[in-house]
Amino acid sequence: MPTIRPEIPLPLSHGIHVLNQPSRLCCSDPSPSVPAVRMEAAATLPPLLLLILLAATAVPAPSHAWGVDGHLMVCQIAQGRLSGAAAAAVKDLLPSYAGNNLSSLCSWADDVKFRYPWSSPLHYIDTPDGLCTYRYDRDCKDEDGVEGRCVAGAINNYTSQLLAYRRSSPTEYNLTQALLFLSHFIGDIHQPLHVGFTSDKGGNTIDVHWYTRKTVLHHVWDASIIQTAEDDFYGDSVAGYIDTLKKNITQGEWSEQVSSWEACGTNQTACPDIYASESVAAACDWAYKGVEEDSTLQDPYFSSRLPVVSLRLAQGGVRLAATLNRIFG
């Protein structure tokens, strides 16, 4: 297989231009969790400052991804649908401590956004307010106007990098990181508010109440709907939710649609533009609809939006598997 070189830049192709950032073989030196670091330092903080910091941790920060459970669900669905060749390649590229479990590292791309700040714009797409449409040439750029720096461009890029796996010559790319970025970003592009309006940053600046808890609209779609479904229907178990999605994919309401989800254009390995167009339409039809600043979102919003979240999670998992199967042959 191609050599993975741990100390290289992460070059981006397909018109994506970033500063050359040092790359390290992913996940071999996981940092301590933020809560652990805060608790370790707490004893040395003045009481007033400690109270301020603790209060800050209770308020959800603006987010740019499905929550941990959402990404885990996408990757677990995908791994169960891999071809033999793709499954072998994924096992080969995952670090040994992952135990051949892609979902255990499916949120890695969120964890490294502070280590790799250049990667933050690669998690989403900002579209013009109110248009409810997406165009790659118009919308796939970062806040500085650099073309290709969005989640669709990142999916194209890391797909291209992973195609080097099948070549006999050494590659300059870190294929372990490419796998984890691609797996995460295919999940991200299926979250409707990852292809949301520019002015509110995909719902990150729209304050709402999820029942009694203050949050932002983006976080509702990242995590709150999923967590409420787990609490209400699955005994606080993500495994039960995943099982339901898998059954609906294989023998339930979506089984006849799966082949169309998997399809990609002629000679295309990845089709992020299709997924982005679906997401901005869902954002307009479901995420933004009926929501204003300081809205309180409760049972009617939850019950009507949960099917949309479930569909997008299922589509993300099916399409991640289909993409990896095309990449690895």
Side-chain angles (χ1 to χ4, degrees), residues 273-317:
D273 290 346
I274 294 173
Y275 317 151
S277 295
E278 293 171 347
S279 278
V280 72
C284 288
D285 291 345
W286 298 103
Y288 286 118
K289 192 171 183 178
V291 178
E292 299 176 350
E293 181 74 9
D294 292 325
S295 290
T296 297
L297 309 179
Q298 300 187 82
D299 285 348
Y301 191 94
F302 169 67
S303 61
S304 59
R305 272 61 172 184
L306 177 60
V308 181
V309 169
S310 297
L311 174 67
R312 296 306 280 165
L313 291 168
Q315 289 177 321

Side-chain angles (χ1 to χ4, degrees), residues 24 27 31 55 107 208 256 276 280 284:
R24 301 168 67 183
C27 318
S31 301
S107 293
V208 298
E256 295 183 0
V280 72
C284 288

Side-chain angles (χ1 to χ4, degrees), residues 79 81-94 100 324-325 328-329:
Q79 192 156 15
R81 300 179 63 84
L82 295 179
S83 67
V90 167
K91 182 178 181 180
D92 188 34
L93 291 175
L94 285 174
N100 192 30
L324 293 176
N325 288 341
F328 296 119

Side-chain angles (χ1 to χ4, degrees), residues 38-320:
R38 284 179 177 146
M39 292 302 292
E40 185 176 336
T44 64
L45 292 174
L48 179 59
L49 180 57
L50 177 58
L51 285 174
I52 293 171
L53 289 175
L54 290 173
T57 63
V59 179
S63 50
H64 288 295
W66 287 115
V68 172
D69 281 4
H71 280 292
L72 183 147
M73 295 161 83
V74 168
C75 282
Q76 282 203 15
I77 291 168
Q79 192 156 15
R81 300 179 63 84
L82 295 179
S83 67
V90 167
K91 182 178 181 180
D92 188 34
L93 291 175
L94 285 174
S96 59
Y97 64 81
N100 192 30
N101 181 2
L102 179 61
S103 67
S104 70
L105 291 173
C106 214
S107 293
W108 172 84
D110 281 335
D111 298 336
V112 298
K113 280 192 288 188
F114 291 105
R115 183 189 301 177
Y116 301 145
W118 52 264
S119 70
S120 290
L122 305 183
H123 290 253
Y124 60 91
I125 300 167
D126 286 334
T127 62
D129 292 3
L131 285 188
C132 300
T133 62
Y134 157 80
R135 289 206 326 257
Y136 186 94
D137 57 349
R138 182 192 67 198
D139 303 328
C140 190
K141 56 190 175 183
D142 64 16
E143 292 182 352
D144 296 322
V146 179
E147 295 180 358
R149 291 204 8 100
C150 78
V151 67
I155 288 171
N156 286 334
N157 169 64
Y158 289 111
T159 296
S160 179
Q161 290 191 17
L162 285 169
L163 288 170
Y165 181 85
R166 293 185 293 177
R167 301 172 193 149
S168 57
S169 57
T171 176
E172 63 180 325
Y173 302 126
N174 185 322
L175 298 184
T176 298
Q177 289 195 353
L179 171 65
L180 298 187
F181 275 127
L182 178 65
S183 300
H184 186 92
F185 292 148
I186 287 183
D188 276 351
I189 203 169
H190 281 83
Q191 205 274 55
L193 286 176
H194 277 256
V195 195
F197 297 155
T198 300
S199 65
D200 57 52
K201 299 183 178 180
N204 268 301
T205 65
I206 300 176
D207 292 324
V208 298
H209 283 83
W210 182 247
Y211 295 88
T212 59
R213 182 179 177 81
K214 185 174 183 180
T215 184
V216 294
L217 182 63
H218 191 102
H219 189 265
V220 167
W221 283 78
D222 271 352
S224 301
I225 294 173
I226 292 172
Q227 291 168 352
T228 301
E230 291 170 1
D231 291 344
D232 287 359
F233 306 127
Y234 303 106
D236 196 27
S237 166
V238 66
Y241 196 170
I242 293 171
D243 186 58
T244 295
L245 295 181
K246 287 181 175 179
K247 287 178 179 177
N248 279 321
I249 290 167
T250 57
Q251 60 195 47
E253 61 176 305
W254 303 319
S255 57
E256 295 183 0
Q257 304 173 41
V258 169
S259 60
S260 65
W261 297 353
E262 294 173 319
C264 207
T266 304
N267 297 323
Q268 287 185 278
T269 307
C271 291
D273 290 346
I274 294 173
Y275 317 151
S277 295
E278 293 171 347
S279 278
V280 72
C284 288
D285 291 345
W286 298 103
Y288 286 118
K289 192 171 183 178
V291 178
E292 299 176 350
E293 181 74 9
D294 292 325
S295 290
T296 297
L297 309 179
Q298 300 187 82
D299 285 348
Y301 191 94
F302 169 67
S303 61
S304 59
R305 272 61 172 184
L306 177 60
V308 181
V309 169
S310 297
L311 174 67
R312 296 306 280 165
L313 291 168
Q315 289 177 321
V318 167
R319 286 161 165 172
L320 173 57

